[in-house]
């Protein structure tokens, strides 16, 4: 670093641990982990954004994180949510981020606060408010005077919210992040000035907890890593840069975002997630922030546009394939994170104190196709056994002294093997099965032992000598299952040969005077095991067998039951004690109070009644509709189109309109040198094209001889959330031209010949395997045109007629460019393009040429206000509708539809989620009771759209704006799959 140390953060140095045994009231750290009040803590952090769900859903989502073993919540703060218009601050209702932090504290959760100002997050403009882009000479994410002026004003508002809730103020905020992923833009030395400015702005406002960064560091901060894979490499990099700080994964990507027209992002499977978490633990990290743990929804216009091709716009759902779904439901990934978080809680001290065992010191023996790495502290070890085989096998692993254990392992799986880990005084555990609990419950040391259904696992307890010359022993007290126990008298070790069934098993015994209990579960039962600890740590309960669990503010526990015959177990300090019951027994009512069809009688017993699933609300077949006449005739004309920000509108639609005369009729190209959103091209009232590939476009349109009216209906699809080109002009900006040509120039590039070879032809729309950097050439002529735009993915180093084209912000991960090359091309001659080969296939590389004389003049513009419904008509889609005779037909113009529907009715036994399926519709927006639910576009991958139950009333208004006026006879409301399963009160 070249920047001198700032006096502002010298006190931060006091956070470094001076003595392991000191007691502290703040967060401290050493090279291995953080400490809180002198105790090491492993940060299991759930990334949850308060601004992606209604406030009413916060508690349930946060509680799900806590139930999954998370002890920390990581959240961004979105500047554009809190200051949507300049100087108009919003910290109420769904935007009350202070209340969100308070709720985290109430639930006993620490917080990692990430105020930005840039947050990325696939969020519009990376969190910047739209109006910031209108400021003269503003440059984002650098020490630009204008930009920093507004950043400081934002800090004046947001940092006090965080400061009042940090540890020193009695809150639970333990870490605050400076900026976000700045290392993707430049290295630490180049970034130092800007990062120091932002760091000092945070410190000046009273933040005294440790500061962190991710992907790029800053002096006086702790750097973390963001990744999905490659844990070892990231760990080595962090250790090299900051050997004396904890190693944390600031963003562990549990899934991925999705964009309109792209594939469903389900590539990060639950089994891969399990493996990646194990890689993180094996490498030595002592903090994991699961990004995302719950994704939520991009309501309104807040879905962003991300790097890659020209048209990667975020869908409305931000489900992210995360452990918790968009609807707050648990998923198979939730089970993975929960089970491994429980494992980390059970053996966190070993993980945090240990160092990796050098490969040459490993004495573990194992068969081929298996590899082993280990970590050790003192005499305790944990081995990470990894399979490189093609199928699941049970393999034998031999530890020191010939101790051999069978381990069931799936292809690619990493299984932790505990080796002589002390669990009680002179009691040492060796286990090849996953142990997901290790704590005192009702006076018994309880271990949860998990393996696949029908699998065998072996657990060994070795007893030391409690008193001189007196060996310890094990006394079996109770077992609900047949268990083979063998004793090795020479080592005073007891070997438990266990089997894992659907029915949970319990073993109780005494070891060296300690009461120990084994809870033996198959993996499905473990997935349905829930640990509940009060915020003050005074109450501990486990519930086994429930598909989902919720804990109310009063401490009452409710559980979902999908199989009434499943055995449920309650362990810990329940008011009615520990017990085992079937799921059916949680729904007990007298026979005469229920319909006969709903009861299943048991002789001499009350009936066990399963509440029926609630129905989804029904939309009438006769919605009201309002046709929208597209016109900006009443608006004053301007010289050329302007973008959304200059127009003064954040999201929604803009209608661009102009009149022009044509000497001839027929097909002509409409050239848009700068367009950043989808646009419907309408000529003389008839739609002619939907522009999807943006940046620049040339669109063939049909014109008539004489006067014509051109309209462009542009929907704001989201600003770039992350790129070197933040702040693009949304909509259409600058001149629009009639006439011109467009060429796809991905084919017929000539490759420089190597010695003794002929010149080769390369097609960049195909897969090629040539050396990177090889120079490619291609020629073109202007054919009477005088302007040219190159749009697509050219490589850095592009030259035109021997002159290199400047691309100062070019990054390999964001190759998309829109380049005005008019000043580099020549008329009447052959022009030559040269560029080094970088990658292929390219999705797009187009050359658009046109004449400046073809510019269209006198534009009129209208915003979203011009598209609002003026009057409503009635229609009946169950019969032939005037002008619309077939399903899926279109009115040929934008249309609003309006329905009234009732709130889903439940008897208190169900927790329902409501969604809207838009089969047959085109593209537009959804609104319920005045809430903008977001954009829709029926090109996938999103099919259903969330309607938050919190925003419903007894009678509700649903509005759909459809750009093509498609008829909605197949639009319907649905409840999600889990809505059909009943919930019951479990206990207190």
């Amino acid at each position: 670093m070249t920047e001198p140390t700032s006096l502002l953060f010298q006190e931060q140095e006091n956070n470094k641990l001076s003595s392991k045994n000191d007691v502290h009231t703040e967060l401290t750290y050493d090279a291995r982990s953080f400490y809180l009040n002198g105790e090491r803590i492993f940060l299991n952090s759930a990334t949850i954004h308060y601004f992606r769900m209604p406030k009413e859903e916060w508690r349930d989502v946060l509680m799900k994180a806590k139930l999954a073993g998370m002890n920390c919540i990581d959240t961004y703060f979105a500047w554009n949510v809190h200051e949507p218009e300049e100087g108009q601050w919003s910290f109420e209702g769904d935007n009350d981020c202070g209340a969100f932090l308070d709720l985290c504290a109430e639930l006993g959760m620490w917080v990692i606060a990430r105020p930005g100002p840039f947050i990325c997050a696939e969020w519009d403009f990376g969190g910047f408010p739209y109006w910031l882009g209108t400021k003269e000479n503003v440059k984002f994410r650098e020490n630009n005077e204008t930009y920093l002026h507004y950043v400081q004003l934002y800090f004046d508002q947001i940092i006090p919210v965080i400061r009042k809730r940090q540890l020193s103020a009695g809150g639970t905020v333990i870490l605050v992040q400076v900026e976000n992923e700045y290392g993707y833009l430049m290295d630490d030395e180049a970034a130092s000035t800007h990062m120091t400015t932002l760091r000092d702005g945070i410190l000046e406002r009273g933040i005294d907890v440790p500061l962190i960064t991710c992907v790029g560091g800053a002096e006086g901060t702790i750097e973390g890593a963001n990744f999905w894979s490659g844990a070892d490499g990231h760990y080595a990099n962090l250790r090299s840069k900051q050997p004396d700080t904890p190693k944390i994964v600031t963003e562990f990507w549990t899934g991925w975002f999705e964009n309109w027209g792209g594939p469903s992002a389900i590539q990060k499977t639950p089994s891969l997630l399990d493996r990646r978490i194990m890689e993180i633990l094996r490498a030595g990290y002592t903090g994991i922030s699961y990004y995302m743990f719950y994704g939520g929804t991009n309501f309104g216009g807040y879905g962003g546009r991300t790097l890659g091709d020209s048209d990667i716009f975020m869908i409305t759902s931000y489900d992210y394939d995360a452990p918790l779904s968009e609807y707050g439901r648990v998923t198979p990934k939730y089970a993975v994170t929960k089970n491994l978080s429980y494992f980390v809680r059970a053996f966190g001290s070993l993980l945090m104190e240990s160092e990796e065992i050098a490969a040459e010191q490993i004495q573990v023996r194992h068969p081929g196709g298996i590899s082993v790495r280990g970590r050790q502290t003192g005499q305790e070890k944990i081995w990470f056994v990894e399979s490189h085989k093609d199928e699941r096998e049970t393999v034998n692993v031999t530890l020191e002294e010939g101790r051999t254990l069978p381990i069931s392992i799936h292809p690619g799986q990493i299984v932790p093997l505990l080796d002589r880990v002390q669990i009680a005084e002179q009691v040492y555990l060796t286990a090849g099965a996953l142990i997901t609990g290790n704590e005192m419950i009702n006076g018994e040391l309880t271990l949860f032992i998990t393996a696949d259904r029908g699998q065998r696992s072996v657990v060994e307890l070795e007893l030391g000598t409690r008193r001189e010359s007196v060996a310890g022993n094990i006394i079996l007290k109770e077992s609900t299952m047949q268990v083979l126990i063998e004793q090795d008298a020479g080592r005073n070790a007891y070997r438990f040969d266990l089997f894992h069934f659907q029915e949970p098993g319990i073993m109780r015994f005494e070891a060296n005077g300690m009461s120990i209990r084994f809870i033996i579960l198959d993996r499905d039962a473990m997935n349905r095991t829930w640990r509940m600890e009060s915020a003050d740590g005074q109450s501990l309960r486990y519930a086994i067998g429930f598909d989902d669990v919720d804990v109310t503010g009063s401490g009452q526990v409710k559980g979902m039951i999908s199989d009434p015959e499943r055995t449920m177990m309650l362990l810990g300090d329940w008011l009615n004690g520990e017990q085992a019951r079937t799921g059916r027994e949680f729904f007990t009512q007298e026979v005469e109070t229920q319909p006969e069809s709903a009861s299943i009688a048991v002789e001499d017993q009350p009936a066990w009644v399963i509440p029926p699933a609630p129905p989804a609300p029904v939309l009438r077949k006769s919605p009201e509709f309002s046709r929208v006449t597209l016109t900006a005739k009443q608006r004053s004309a301007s010289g050329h189109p302007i973008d959304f920000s200059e127009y003064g509108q954040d999201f929604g639609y803009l209608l661009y309109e102009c009149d022009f005369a044509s000497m001839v009729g027929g097909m002509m190209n409409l050239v848009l040198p700068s367009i950043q959103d989808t646009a419907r091209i309408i000529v003389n009232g008839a739609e002619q094209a939907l522009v999807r590939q943006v940046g620049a476009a040339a669109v063939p349109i049909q014109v008539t001889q004489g006067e014509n009216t051109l309209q462009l209906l542009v929907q704001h699809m989201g600003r770039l959330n992350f790129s070197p080109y933040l702040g693009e002009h949304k909509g259409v900006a600058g001149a629009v031209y009639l006439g011109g040509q467009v060429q796809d120039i991905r084919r017929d590039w000539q490759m420089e010949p190597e010695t003794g070879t002929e010149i080769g032809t390369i097609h960049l729309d195909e897969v090629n395997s040539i050396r990177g950097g090889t120079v490619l050439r291609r020629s073109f002529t202007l054919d009477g045109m005088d302007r040219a735009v190159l749009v697509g993915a050219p490589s850095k180093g592009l030259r035109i007629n021997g002159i290199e084209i400047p691309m100062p912000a070019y990054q390999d991960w964001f190759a998309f460019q829109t380049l005005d090359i008019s000043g580099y091309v020549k008329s009447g001659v052959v022009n030559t393009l040269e560029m080094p080969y970088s990658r292929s296939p390219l999705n797009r590389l187009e050359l658009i040429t046109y004449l400046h004389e073809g510019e269209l003049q006198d534009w009129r513009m209208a915003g979203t206000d011009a598209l609002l419904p003026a009057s409503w008509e009635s229609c009946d889609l169950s019969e032939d509708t005037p002008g619309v005779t077939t399903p899926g037909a279109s009115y040929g113009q934008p249309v609003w539809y309006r329905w009234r529907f009732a709130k889903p009715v439940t008897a208190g036994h169900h927790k329902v989620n409501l969604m809207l399926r838009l089969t047959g519709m085109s593209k537009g927006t959804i609104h319920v009771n005045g809430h903008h639910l977001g954009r829709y576009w029926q090109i996938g991958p999103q099919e259903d759209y969330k309607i938050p139950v919190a925003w419903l009333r007894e009678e509700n208004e649903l509005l759909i704006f459809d750009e093509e006026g498609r008829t909605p006879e197949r639009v319907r409301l649905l409840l999600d799959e889990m809505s059909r399963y009943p919930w019951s009160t479990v206990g207190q």
Side-chain angles (χ1 to χ4, degrees), residues 626-677:
S626 179
R627 308 186 199 203
V628 176
T629 300
L630 295 177
T631 180
K633 293 288 187 184
Q634 73 279 19
R635 308 299 173 99
S636 59
S638 63
H640 57 75
I642 60 176
D643 69 359
F644 274 80
S645 296
E646 189 176 353
Y647 187 81
Q649 186 172 303
D650 53 359
F651 304 120
Y653 287 87
L654 284 181
L655 176 66
Y656 301 86
E657 181 179 275
C658 76
D659 302 317
F660 66 91
S662 176
M663 298 294 292
V664 296
M667 298 300 296
M668 304 179 71
N669 279 324
L670 180 70
V671 176
L672 304 162
S674 177
I675 181 170
Q676 300 296 340
D677 294 279

Side-chain angles (χ1 to χ4, degrees), residues 36 140 222 490 501 538 580 652 669 718 744 752 778 830 868 978:
L36 191 64
F140 309 104
I222 300 168
F501 302 126
Q538 299 303 304
N669 279 324
D744 183 343
E752 280 189 340
R778 194 186 193 283
V830 175
L868 297 178
M978 303 296 279

Side-chain angles (χ1 to χ4, degrees), residues 105-382:
E106 178 187 328
L107 296 177
M109 309 285 279
W110 302 314
V111 173
I112 301 173
R114 306 170 78 184
F118 171 78
I119 64 171
C120 185
E122 288 71 63
W123 194 248
D124 184 75
F125 208 176
F128 294 144
Y130 85 93
W131 51 262
L132 189 61
T134 67
K135 300 305 176 183
E136 188 174 358
N137 299 321
V138 67
K139 294 183 179 180
F140 309 104
R141 302 186 74 189
E142 58 182 77
N143 271 13
N144 169 266
E145 183 178 355
T146 301
Y147 171 65
L148 289 178
H149 168 74
Y150 290 100
V151 168
Q152 299 298 344
L153 294 177
Y154 165 63
F155 276 180
D156 285 342
Q157 295 287 329
I158 201 68
I159 299 302
V161 174
I162 299 169
R163 183 189 66 231
K164 295 172 186 176
R165 293 165 174 87
Q166 61 184 339
L167 282 178
S168 59
T172 58
V173 175
I174 58 172
L175 298 170
V176 174
Q177 181 173 292
V178 180
E179 233 273 354
N180 188 63
E181 297 183 324
Y182 206 73
Y184 286 133
L185 294 182
M186 59 186 71
D187 61 33
D188 290 356
E189 184 172 359
S192 176
T193 300
H194 184 57
M195 291 291 284
T196 298
T197 300
L198 296 180
R199 178 203 67 198
D200 289 354
I202 292 172
L203 293 171
E204 286 170 348
R205 290 167 176 82
I207 296 299
D208 55 26
V209 297
L211 301 181
I212 63 170
T213 63
C214 65
V215 189
E219 191 175 5
T221 68
I222 300 168
E223 184 176 350
N226 295 0
F227 60 84
W228 157 251
S229 59
D232 289 331
H234 290 288
Y235 186 89
N237 179 59
L238 292 178
R239 194 160 190 170
S240 173
K241 292 181 70 174
Q242 294 186 329
D244 299 325
T245 63
K247 307 302 174 286
I248 59 175
V249 187
T250 36
E251 288 185 15
F252 172 52
W253 300 323
T254 62
W256 207 239
F257 52 80
E258 295 176 336
N259 60 279
W260 297 117
S264 182
I266 56 173
Q267 62 271 21
K268 295 179 172 68
T269 63
S271 59
L272 274 175
L273 180 68
D274 183 286
R275 174 185 172 86
R276 298 300 185 219
I277 296 172
M278 280 298 173
E279 289 173 348
I280 290 171
L281 299 178
R282 182 177 67 183
Y285 293 91
T286 55
I288 308 173
S289 192
Y290 293 88
Y291 187 102
M292 300 292 297
F293 189 83
Y294 166 80
T297 310
N298 296 319
F299 292 119
Y302 282 115
R305 167 192 179 192
T306 199
L307 56 89
D309 296 329
S310 64
D311 58 344
I312 299 187
F313 299 109
M314 296 299 99
I315 64 173
T316 294
S317 170
Y318 197 64
D319 180 88
Y320 207 80
D321 195 26
L324 275 181
S325 76
E326 180 182 8
Y327 296 88
R329 301 296 195 188
V330 299
T331 70
K333 285 186 175 180
Y334 181 91
V336 170
T337 56
K338 176 170 66 70
N339 295 348
L340 294 187
S341 294
Y342 286 11
F343 166 73
V344 167
R345 180 181 180 86
F347 300 100
S349 59
L350 169 60
L351 293 168
M352 290 185 286
E353 295 280 0
S354 64
E355 289 289 344
E356 183 159 11
I357 301 171
E360 60 272 16
Q361 296 177 358
I362 295 176
Q363 300 179 22
V364 176
R365 286 172 283 160
H366 52 81
I370 298 293
S371 61
V372 174
R373 288 169 54 182
R375 303 189 65 84
Q376 179 175 9
T377 177
Q379 299 302 309
E380 298 178 313
K381 301 184 185 73
I382 178 171

